Each structure stands twice: as structure tokens, then as C-alpha cells.
Amino acid sequence: MSASEFLANLVIPLNLSVTLLVLAAILFIVRWRKTAAVITAGALAWAVFWSLPTTSLWAGGLLEQRYPHQPAAMLPAAQAIVVLGGSTANGRPNWFESYDPKTTVPRTDTAILLYAAGKAPLIVVSGAALDGGVSEARMMATALERDGVPPSAIIQENHSLTTHQNALYTAKVLRQHGIQRFLLVTSALHMPRAMASFQKQGLNPIAAPSPPQIVVPDEPDFSFWLPDLRTLNASRSIVKEYLGLLVYWVRGWV
């Protein structure tokens, strides 16, 4: 595991809270009890903060609304549709509802709607195999073909492992095919970093995010201020996205 991957996993609210509690326990044993108490309070506060739906709605909403979702009919025509691999909160349509594989909304669904609306004749799918198996690009291409997109309309970029590489390698593919105007598809939460990464490559993508996932559910008993384990677990995507923006800015990738 690289240092960046370790840091990304460490800052996940639940992971960081547990790590701080372990550190506090060690300090308590060696009689640094005041310091241990402060760290314990901080760990619990951090976990509670990210378990509140209002926190995700605020912090995640800032990212999701940077490039608001628009229906396919409202978006301009382009030469291609670029779809980035990845999964935000398992593709759940709403973070605050239980996961159901039958109701997931993968990014390819957004691409299919755009293609069916005649917004572009080609779809470029970008993403390597994170586990050494079938690449994300190949899996997305299979999903597109299953929904009626002809193989001749799909271009695969199978080597990118990060958003930076998505932009770097896809830029080469686009230039090889003379594509300058394209619609960029990813999750609404990921769109700010994706747009900045592609713009850093000298490209001018048109944001076409999937529908936002961090929205108030249609549940009469929904509480903005009641801590929820599901919300705490899903908040990892928000924290990692903000960390990603910071790291990309430091490294000059955005």
C-alpha cells in the first residue's frame, strides 16, 4: 500500500476514530491520561460529526452542486461521452437509504441516456482493473453493450488507476481520435476533481454528472441530527474526495 493510499484510508472517519481511540488507550496505559482524554473526546466527536446526515448534506452538497445534474435533453451535443470508472457509495440513488443492488444507478446509466438522446456518437470508458482482473473499462463496455450501444461506438481506456490517470490517458485517446468536445460522466460528488483533472490536461470537458446521491430522502421520520451508522460509513467518499482535491492541488494535478 502506497503512502497516499494509507493516508486516504486513515482519514476515513471510522478508521481515524478507531486509530485515535487505540492511541488514547496506549497513552492512558503509560499514564498520559489528560492527553488520552482529549484524544478520546476528539475521536468520538469526529465519529459523531460524520454520522450526522446534516454533515454529509452540507459537505457533500458543496461538491455535488458545483456542477449540477441536468437531464440529457438539456445538455449540448458533443463528439464523445467519456465515462470514468469508480463507485460512490455503491451507486446507491440515495446515501441515506438502504443499499439495494436492484436500485443502483451506475455511471453507465447516465452515459446510455446521453447516447440515446443523440448527444454523441462515441462513448469512451476509462478505468483499469483495480484487483488485477477485468478492467473497469471492460465492465462498463459490457454494460453499455447490454443496453444496446454497439461495440463500434465504444472506445476503452484500460490503464488508468486514478482520476489523474483517467485524465492523462483519456486525453491521449481523445487526441488520437481528433475529439475536442466531449461530455464527462462521473458521480456528482467526484465531478469537481474530475473536471479539474481534465482541464489540467488542456481539455474543455462538459460536465454531465450522474444524479446527486446526497439528498434528503422521502421519509417522514428522516432526522437531520440523529447519528446514523449508514451515514458514517458512506461519509468516507466525501472525506476522501476533499483529501483528493487537496493532494491533487499539492501535486499540481489540478
Side-chain angles (χ1 to χ4, degrees), residues 68-119:
H69 170 75
Q70 298 183 67
M74 299 295 293
L75 289 165
Q79 294 171 282
I81 300 162
V82 173
V83 191
L84 305 187
S87 173
T88 301
N90 302 118
R92 281 183 292 177
N94 192 304
W95 274 25
F96 307 111
E97 296 176 350
S98 300
Y99 173 74
D100 183 350
K102 297 179 181 178
T103 62
T104 57
V105 185
R107 299 170 183 181
T108 49
D109 283 8
T110 300
I112 290 167
L113 290 173
L114 292 169
Y115 183 82
K119 296 302 176 178

Side-chain angles (χ1 to χ4, degrees), residues 2-5 8 84 160-169 171 184 190-203 205 240-254:
S2 67
S4 60
E5 290 174 330
L84 305 187
S160 55
L161 292 168
T162 65
T163 302
H164 169 64
Q165 291 180 358
N166 282 147
L168 184 65
Y169 300 155
L184 181 61
H190 182 233
M191 187 58 78
R193 182 156 59 105
M195 285 288 288
S197 298
F198 274 80
Q199 289 165 349
K200 189 68 175 181
Q201 298 300 319
L203 303 172
K240 291 176 74 172
E241 204 55 50
Y242 276 108
L243 177 65
L245 282 166
L246 175 60
V247 170
Y248 275 39
W249 176 75
V250 170
R251 302 192 70 167
W253 292 347
V254 297

Side-chain angles (χ1 to χ4, degrees), residues 3-40:
S4 60
E5 290 174 330
F6 174 78
L7 179 61
N9 283 287
L10 178 62
V11 299
I12 290 171
L14 186 58
N15 292 354
L16 182 57
S17 295
V18 170
T19 301
L20 290 175
L21 287 174
V22 171
L23 175 61
I26 294 172
L27 293 175
F28 185 84
I29 292 171
V30 299
R31 299 182 183 278
W32 287 29
R33 294 180 177 174
K34 289 184 178 180
T35 303
V38 171
I39 293 176
T40 298

Side-chain angles (χ1 to χ4, degrees), residues 131-209:
D131 59 358
V134 179
S135 71
E136 288 187 290
R138 178 63 261 174
M139 289 188 287
M140 288 191 290
T142 299
L144 292 170
E145 292 171 19
R146 186 170 56 243
D147 285 308
V149 179
S152 59
I154 302 172
I155 301 173
Q156 296 183 44
E157 183 286 293
N158 294 288
H159 305 291
S160 55
L161 292 168
T162 65
T163 302
H164 169 64
Q165 291 180 358
N166 282 147
L168 184 65
Y169 300 155
T170 304
K172 295 179 180 178
V173 172
L174 295 175
R175 289 180 176 124
Q176 288 171 356
H177 289 81
I179 297 171
Q180 298 179 337
R181 184 177 175 83
F182 63 97
L183 294 159
L184 181 61
V185 175
T186 187
S187 66
L189 185 70
H190 182 233
M191 187 58 78
R193 182 156 59 105
M195 285 288 288
S197 298
F198 274 80
Q199 289 165 349
K200 189 68 175 181
Q201 298 300 319
L203 303 172
N204 293 298
I206 301 166

